[in-house]
Amino acid sequence: MTAPTDNLRINGDRLWDSLMEMAKVGPGIAGGNNRQTLTDADAEGRDLFKSWCEAAGLTLGVDQMGTMFATRPGTDPNALPVYVGSHLDTQPTGGKYDGVLGVLSGLEVVRSMNDLGIRTRHPVVVTNWTNEEGARFAPAMLASGVFAGALTLDYAYERRDLEGKSFGDELKRIGWVGDEAVGARKMHAYIEYHIEQGPILEAEKKQIGVVTHCQGLWWLEVTLTGREAHTGSTPMNLRVNAGLAMARIFEMVQRVAMENQPGAVGGVGQVSFTPNSRNVLPGKVVFTIDIRSPDQAKLDGMRARIETEAAEIAAALGVGCSIEAVGHFDPVTFDPTLVSRVRSAAERLGYSHMNIISGAGHDACWAAKVAPTTMIMCPCVGGLSHNEAEEISPEWAAAGADVLLHAVLETAEIAG
């Protein structure tokens, strides 16, 4: 079809106002947000988003994972929908834009289409995926993983947070269990707009990231079992120190990642000590290793080395060691046609752009298993994300949303 005319733009002021209004829901303590999935704040954010969708004339559907699908009908009742969106849930100390930008930019695309009187042959669906972050319930991208058939509904419902509360019970508690079977919807395409969560676009002074690939990842939950003992009166040679084993494994993860450069990362972001007392050696330590690479062989090789060497480190100290994979997806190559449309839209609109590989996981990674998929990225200040200081500019937000509008119109086909 003919590409949309160059002068079409979203309403940048309205988009920014919506972002600021949503940021009032589940405020953090340092200017960001704490709107973790299936909390009361998440329910409040969902209600606000629902009200905006209804005001824009969209019809809301909700599946059994609580994912929200707001539909603008197309002119062809047999045409599959073009899906856009991301997630509204945040990290415990999250920013105002991670995920939220994609959901509200999708809504802004629809609002702008309404303003301009544009109809499309394919329906357009704005999506809010449940539990993308994985901060409260591991693994991340839980709902989109079930949607893609990589995870089962029962598995998802049985996930528990640190307080032992189950995903299924909390979804029911906040009143967002839908009646749609997960994955029953069929997609013509899926396009996700997101902040980069890295420093590359800002450093290169580019307004648009044309996302060609997404790194694969493994989350490995390590449980080390030592022996609780007094830190002051237990001789060094008689200790079974799970904390020492943890420290040595941390260093090993760093070494393995560095030896796989370029194109690999590894680190630890979550640790739990038991009993977590200042004068007691830990009897148990649980932590999660996060390794990522766009290279499948490199990713799997890192996992194998880390699991082998972690067991060896623990055994040398007399510490028990078990490792469970609690999150995984393979590297993703996004649809070349959609990638080309994003790039062409940026060029038509006069926005500087570059190809980029997503370092973070996104719902688009699972959507790519069931439909042609791509992503658009905008810069973030200092590459900072998963932090309350996360920041973007209104101009960056609007530029990416303009590109999203054009990519959606070209894919959904403007009706004559």
Side-chain angles (χ1 to χ4, degrees):
M1 64 155 288
T2 303
T5 56
D6 296 353
N7 61 347
L8 296 182
R9 299 289 195 281
I10 57 92
N11 185 326
D13 290 338
R14 181 170 57 197
L15 171 59
W16 195 256
D17 288 346
S18 297
L19 289 166
M20 295 304 102
E21 195 67 25
M22 183 61 74
K24 296 176 182 177
V25 179
I29 59 174
N33 282 102
N34 181 3
R35 198 169 50 245
Q36 294 180 68
T37 196
L38 309 190
T39 59
D40 292 344
D42 182 24
E44 185 180 349
R46 288 167 175 265
D47 288 339
L48 179 58
F49 177 60
K50 177 184 176 181
S51 70
W52 287 341
C53 290
E54 290 175 343
L58 305 183
T59 302
L60 184 66
V62 182
D63 71 12
Q64 292 169 304
M65 282 294 292
T67 297
M68 304 169 68
F69 302 100
T71 301
R72 184 182 197 260
T75 59
D76 183 349
N78 298 314
L80 293 177
V82 174
Y83 286 72
V84 295
S86 193
H87 61 96
L88 293 176
D89 69 314
T90 76
Q91 291 284 330
T93 53
K96 299 188 288 287
Y97 311 102
D98 176 358
V100 185
L101 177 65
V103 177
L104 299 188
S105 292
L107 176 60
E108 177 54 37
V109 163
V110 167
R111 287 168 164 173
S112 295
M113 290 165 62
N114 290 345
D115 292 345
L116 297 166
I118 296 174
R119 303 296 302 169
T120 56
R121 187 171 79 83
H122 293 262
V124 175
V125 179
V126 185
T127 308
N128 170 36
W129 299 99
T130 300
N131 192 50
E132 190 276 348
E133 290 291 0
R136 186 179 178 200
F137 299 99
M141 294 94 73
L142 187 61
S144 54
V146 178
F147 189 95
L151 306 170
T152 68
L153 185 64
D154 287 343
Y155 170 85
Y157 277 10
E158 291 167 2
R159 297 304 89 202
R160 294 186 180 274
D161 66 10
L162 293 177
E163 296 179 354
K165 297 176 181 178
S166 75
F167 179 96
D169 287 347
E170 286 295 275
L171 182 62
K172 184 182 298 183
R173 182 188 67 81
I174 68 167
W176 279 93
V177 181
D179 55 8
E180 289 188 17
V182 184
R185 289 170 168 265
K186 303 304 178 186
M187 296 180 173
H188 178 61
Y190 176 74
I191 307 174
E192 181 165 348
Y193 177 34
H194 209 280
I195 64 170
E196 181 194 350
Q197 301 183 278
I200 297 171
L201 292 175
E202 185 186 34
E204 296 293 330
K205 295 181 170 55
K206 303 297 185 183
Q207 296 162 289
I208 302 295
V210 181
V211 188
T212 59
H213 299 76
C214 189
Q215 293 190 121
L217 71 78
W218 282 103
W219 281 359
L220 306 175
E221 185 174 270
V222 181
T223 301
L224 300 174
T225 307
R227 183 172 62 234
E228 294 177 22
H230 197 294
T231 57
S233 57
T234 306
M236 298 297 289
N237 65 328
L238 297 180
R239 300 181 178 204
V240 184
N241 191 343
L244 178 59
M246 177 205 72
R248 291 181 178 174
I249 292 171
F250 279 18
E251 287 193 338
M252 177 269 292
V253 171
Q254 172 76 9
R255 173 172 48 80
V256 169
M258 291 303 296
E259 290 175 0
N260 279 275
Q261 296 304 301
V265 294
V268 175
Q270 184 180 60
V271 182
S272 173
F273 271 58
T274 301
N276 200 30
S277 176
R278 62 176 52 89
N279 61 345
V280 181
L281 295 172
K284 183 168 77 169
V285 180
V286 181
F287 58 94
T288 304
I289 299 169
D290 183 327
I291 55 174
R292 308 187 189 211
S293 176
D295 183 310
Q296 183 75 61
K298 188 174 288 190
L299 179 68
D300 292 340
M302 289 172 64
R303 178 193 177 185
R305 277 190 61 188
I306 287 170
E307 289 185 338
T308 298
E309 294 187 29
E312 292 171 350
I313 288 167
L317 296 169
V319 171
C321 177
S322 64
I323 301 177
E324 177 187 2
V326 295
H328 170 67
F329 59 84
D330 289 336
V332 174
T333 299
F334 288 124
D335 181 75
T337 298
L338 291 178
V339 170
S340 179
R341 285 178 183 163
V342 169
R343 186 181 298 111
S344 296
E347 290 172 354
R348 286 196 308 271
L349 292 163
Y351 294 135
S352 58
H353 60 88
M354 65 179 289
N355 289 351
I356 195 167
I357 295 173
S358 174
H362 300 284
D363 294 306
C365 297
W366 285 130
K369 303 293 184 183
V370 296
T373 297
T374 197
M375 294 188 69
I376 303 163
M377 285 187 172
C378 86
C380 54
V381 175
L384 195 63
S385 183
H386 287 190
N387 187 309
E388 292 198 54
E390 175 186 278
E391 192 58 73
I392 65 175
S393 73
E395 293 76 20
W396 287 347
D402 286 340
V403 172
L404 179 65
L405 171 64
H406 281 245
V408 166
L409 291 178
E410 191 169 358
T411 305
E413 302 178 19
I414 297 175

